């Protein structure tokens, strides 16, 4: 069998194991995929296998192929093995059937990110069978990524920091293309991701009987005004090189480019068409109002209400910065609210000057000659942030056919009828084999 055949066979098995993470501690049960991966490596020489679980069934697997030169740079491939839940009535395919039709493989996790995980494992096994390369290669099948890594990469980075190297890491996703206005091509590589600064805004009012509202301060009316003011907050556009490079890669007319880089015309984002929401997200602090709570009984005036905000920060935007933005938006209401911090994680970005990034650029250049490589940040999160926090670099890497735009690949994430083109699986297998040999060999 070819390396691609091995990868496809493993991918089918990983999808069918249905390791669904619904964010509860005992969901996921990634032990099924860890067992499949352990069996996949069984009998392979030159590979050291370790399995770990912080909670029964929440298993991560580490496969290490020692290098022949202790001083050579190491490389770690981080592939998560859990998937998000499904709404089965809205699928037209069996979500865990790994069906192949119309040139695609269908199923939850086919795109996010089991195709990369299977590729990483297959390439690691192939390198082990050859006896290894100069640098040490490690594959990690990680649990719990979809719940922000508390039982996976976060736990590994805190409790087993030295089990494998975090210095140079590859994970999801990268390798899709930008629909450049003049018809030319550009391929993207994920170099970072936004941070999280979740907030809960509390307000208080007067309690009382629902039949006697006159003269009482309504906590519901107050939280509504809080929500309105936050919704119209003036949020500054990014001024970093990544946003500038992303805009310039599109080759817009001068007026559009200026409006986007200076943040003078929100309507200019429509020029990105299907990527308008993504472009806005990676160029701004975003504040999504997602949960509001007040009251218990219909005949009781609630004295307390709260609003939850899913806030995503750009690199350099601290907790203090976020709180200042909120207080400025609230104006004279700021003194009447309590701002509670929930999950807070700073944005992380890796440089484009590292040897690993240079290897990625070379491989993309081999696949797509004379095509610019454009660094981008993700509006969501990945396990790569834990590598960056430990001083390493981390990049999202895959290879997609030129027809697969960034907008199309983003649309696959957590979608109904999730699918991956087999052509992209074949390209990604070749891409990982190339980048591993380029960097470690």
């Amino acid at each position: 069998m070819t390396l691609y055949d091995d990868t496809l066979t493993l991918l089918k098995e990983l999808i069918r194991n249905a390791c669904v993470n619904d964010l509860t501690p005992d969901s996921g049960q990634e032990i099924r995929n860890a067992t499949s991966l352990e069996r996949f490596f069984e009998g392979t020489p030159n590979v050291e296998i370790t399995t770990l679980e912080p909670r029964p069934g929440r298993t991560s697997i580490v496969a290490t192929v020692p290098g022949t030169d202790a001083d050579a740079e190491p490389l770690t491939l981080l592939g998560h093995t859990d998937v998000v839940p499904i709404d089965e009535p809205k699928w037209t395919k069996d979500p865990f059937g790994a069906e192949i039709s119309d040139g695609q493989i269908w199923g939850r996790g086919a795109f996010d990110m089991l195709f990369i995980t299977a590729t990483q494992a297959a390439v690691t096994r192939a390198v082990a069978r050859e006896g290894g390369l100069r640098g040490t290669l490690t594959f990690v099948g990680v649990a719990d990524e979809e719940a922000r890594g508390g039982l996976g990469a976060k736990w590994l980075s805190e409790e087993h920091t030295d089990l494998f190297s975090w210095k140079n890491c590859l994970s999801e996703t990268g390798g899709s293309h930008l629909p450049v206005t003049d018809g030319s091509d550009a391929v993207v590589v994920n170099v970072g991701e936004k941070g999280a600064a979740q907030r809960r805004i509390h307000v208080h009012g007067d309690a009382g009987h629902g039949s006697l509202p006159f003269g009482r301060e309504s906590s519901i009316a107050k939280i509504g005004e809080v929500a309105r003011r936050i919704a119209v907050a003036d949020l500054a556009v990014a001024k970093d090189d990544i946003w500038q490079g992303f805009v310039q890669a599109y080759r817009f007319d001068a007026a559009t480019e200026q409006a986007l880089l200076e943040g003078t015309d929100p309507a200019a984002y429509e020029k990105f068409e299907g990527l308008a929401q993504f472009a806005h997200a990676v160029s701004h602090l975003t504040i999504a109002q997602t949960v509001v709570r007040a009251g218990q009984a219909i005949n009781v005036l609630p004295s307390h209400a709260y609003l939850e905000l899913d806030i995503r920060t750009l690199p350099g935007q601290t907790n203090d910065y976020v709180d200042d933005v909120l207080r400025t938006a609230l104006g004279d209401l700021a003194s009447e609210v309590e701002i509670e911090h929930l999950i807070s994680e700073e944005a992380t970005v890796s440089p484009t000057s590292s040897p690993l990034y240079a290897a990625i650029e070379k491989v993309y250049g081999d696949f797509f000659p004379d095509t610019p490589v454009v660094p981008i940040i993700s509006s969501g999160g990945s396990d790569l942030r834990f590598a960056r926090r430990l001083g390493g670099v981390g990049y999202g890497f895959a290879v997609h056919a030129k027809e697969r735009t960034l907008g199309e690949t983003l649309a696959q994430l957590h979608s109904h009828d999730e699918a991956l083109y087999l052509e992209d699986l074949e390209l990604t297998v070749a891409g990982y084999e190339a980048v591993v040999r380029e960097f470690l060999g």
Side-chain angles (χ1 to χ4, degrees):
M1 295 177 68
T2 67
L3 186 56
Y4 166 76
D5 293 328
D6 288 344
T7 306
L8 180 58
T9 300
L10 177 60
L11 174 57
K12 290 177 182 177
E13 185 171 346
L14 298 181
I15 293 171
R16 289 166 181 162
N17 283 337
C19 296
V20 176
N21 186 347
D22 65 11
L23 279 61
T24 58
D26 292 317
S27 67
Q29 290 301 299
E30 296 91 343
I31 189 171
R32 295 192 291 272
N33 275 340
T35 299
S36 290
L37 288 162
E38 198 167 13
R39 188 166 53 246
F40 182 77
F41 282 101
E42 189 174 6
T44 303
N46 309 307
V47 63
E48 302 164 3
I49 303 294
T50 305
T51 58
L52 308 95
E53 53 179 32
R55 190 178 181 92
R58 307 308 303 273
T59 312
S60 295
I61 180 171
V62 181
T64 301
V65 183
T68 60
D69 181 352
D71 295 326
E73 289 287 314
L75 178 62
T76 299
L77 310 178
L78 295 171
H80 71 77
T81 58
D82 60 328
V83 299
V84 295
I86 60 163
D87 185 354
E88 190 164 6
K90 295 181 179 176
W91 283 66
T92 64
K93 310 284 187 182
D94 179 352
F96 302 108
E99 173 187 333
I100 292 179
S101 62
D102 302 322
Q104 300 177 81
I105 182 168
W106 304 77
R108 174 57 86 217
F111 192 92
D112 181 16
M113 67 169 287
L114 296 180
F115 88 99
I116 298 177
T117 302
T119 296
Q120 293 173 336
V123 169
T124 300
R125 189 176 73 169
V127 169
R129 285 173 168 174
E130 294 176 10
L133 298 169
R134 284 189 63 244
T136 294
L137 174 64
T138 303
F139 161 72
V140 189
V142 191
D144 203 37
E145 189 274 346
E146 297 293 359
R148 300 193 69 82
L151 298 173
K154 183 176 188 293
W155 177 74
L156 289 170
S157 70
E158 293 172 348
E159 302 297 327
H160 298 276
T161 311
D162 298 326
L163 182 61
F164 55 87
S165 173
W166 296 86
K167 187 177 181 182
N168 302 290
C169 295
L170 296 178
S171 188
E172 57 186 342
T173 173
S176 55
H177 301 260
L178 298 180
V180 182
T181 55
D182 64 4
S184 61
D185 190 16
V187 61
V188 301
V189 55
N190 289 67
V191 301
E193 58 198 65
K194 296 184 75 176
Q198 296 177 353
R199 298 291 188 268
R200 184 179 289 139
I201 310 294
H202 299 266
V203 301
H204 300 276
D206 296 326
H209 197 284
S211 66
L212 300 170
F214 180 72
R216 289 193 167 109
E217 184 177 44
S218 168
S219 63
I220 292 179
K222 188 182 289 186
I223 202 67
E225 178 61 13
V226 166
R228 187 196 68 79
R229 293 189 185 189
I230 291 174
V232 297
D234 183 20
L235 303 173
V237 71
K239 298 298 183 182
D240 58 82
D241 292 341
I242 294 177
W243 172 239
Q244 180 174 325
F246 183 74
V247 171
Q248 292 175 342
Y250 269 83
R251 304 184 183 182
F252 292 125
D253 61 87
T256 298
E257 181 175 300
Q258 181 179 10
L260 290 166
L261 294 178
E262 296 181 3
T264 54
D265 182 10
Y269 282 87
E270 298 305 319
K271 296 286 189 177
F272 289 108
E273 298 180 347
L275 280 172
Q277 289 180 329
F278 172 81
H280 184 273
V282 298
S283 61
H284 289 81
L285 174 80
T286 55
I287 305 175
Q289 305 187 42
T290 53
V291 177
V292 64
R293 294 280 188 272
Q296 299 180 59
I298 196 170
N299 62 343
V300 177
L301 299 173
S303 61
H304 171 241
Y306 67 81
L307 173 68
E308 291 185 348
L309 308 173
D310 182 6
I311 301 176
R312 304 298 176 109
T313 56
L314 292 171
Q317 295 178 337
T318 64
N319 276 322
D320 288 343
Y321 174 84
V322 171
D323 290 342
D324 287 345
V325 167
L326 292 174
R327 291 191 182 98
T328 299
L330 292 173
D332 59 359
L333 272 178
S335 61
E336 299 182 41
V337 308
E338 300 167 16
I339 300 177
E340 178 185 358
H341 288 205
L342 303 178
I343 292 175
S344 292
E345 296 182 313
E346 289 190 6
T348 62
V349 179
S350 294
T352 57
S353 57
S354 72
L356 182 54
Y357 188 85
I360 291 170
E361 277 194 308
K362 181 182 184 306
V363 169
Y364 280 145
D366 292 340
F367 278 88
F368 309 106
D370 303 317
T371 298
V373 177
V374 180
I376 64 170
I377 62 171
S378 170
S379 58
S382 79
D383 286 335
L384 290 171
R385 68 188 184 278
F386 302 110
R388 298 187 190 108
R389 288 178 190 170
L390 291 172
V393 297
Y395 304 100
F397 178 74
V399 185
H400 296 277
K402 183 181 177 181
E403 295 75 24
R404 244 69 75 200
T405 65
L406 176 59
E408 183 177 346
T409 57
L410 290 174
Q412 285 295 327
L413 301 177
H414 302 184
S415 67
H416 307 312
D417 282 345
E418 182 181 348
L420 174 81
Y421 282 94
L422 295 178
E423 179 185 14
D424 292 354
L425 179 62
E426 189 169 9
L427 287 169
T428 296
V429 170
Y432 263 91
E433 185 177 29
V435 81
V436 165
R437 295 184 187 282
E438 175 69 25
F439 187 70
L440 295 181

